[in-house]
Amino acid sequence: MAKNNTKYMNVDGLPEVMTVDDLKHFLGIGRAQAYELIERKEFHYVKIGRSIRFSKKNFISWFEGQVAS
């Protein structure tokens, strides 16, 4: 899988299963800020070993201010 070196992405450019790097690039924030956001548990994520993954759908719902059900 090739890494996306684009500094900023639009919603359509996001993968269906996102990583912390995708989050960083989309929001234009640093690594520490991205992990702080994840730790708040405002949207669902899963840990696979040391990796964190979350769905684009859940992230965009959170980003747009929709309440998780």
Side-chain angles (χ1 to χ4, degrees):
M1 181 196 283
K3 288 197 176 214
N4 185 347
N5 291 326
T6 305
K7 188 169 183 178
Y8 300 103
M9 292 190 223
N10 63 26
V11 173
D12 295 331
L14 292 172
E16 292 300 314
V17 177
M18 296 177 61
T19 65
V20 175
D21 270 351
D22 297 325
L23 178 67
K24 284 177 19 182
H25 292 293
F26 181 75
L27 296 177
I29 60 176
R31 182 175 180 261
Q33 287 177 306
Y35 279 103
E36 287 173 14
L37 184 58
I38 293 290
E39 288 299 317
R40 289 187 207 155
K41 299 180 182 179
E42 295 187 32
F43 52 89
H44 177 74
Y45 68 90
V46 295
K47 285 189 85 169
I48 304 168
R50 293 177 56 184
S51 299
I52 293 173
R53 300 287 188 268
F54 48 95
S55 75
K56 171 183 171 178
K57 179 182 170 185
N58 285 342
F59 169 72
I60 295 302
S61 292
W62 169 83
F63 184 72
E64 292 177 343
Q66 299 172 11
V67 178
S69 55

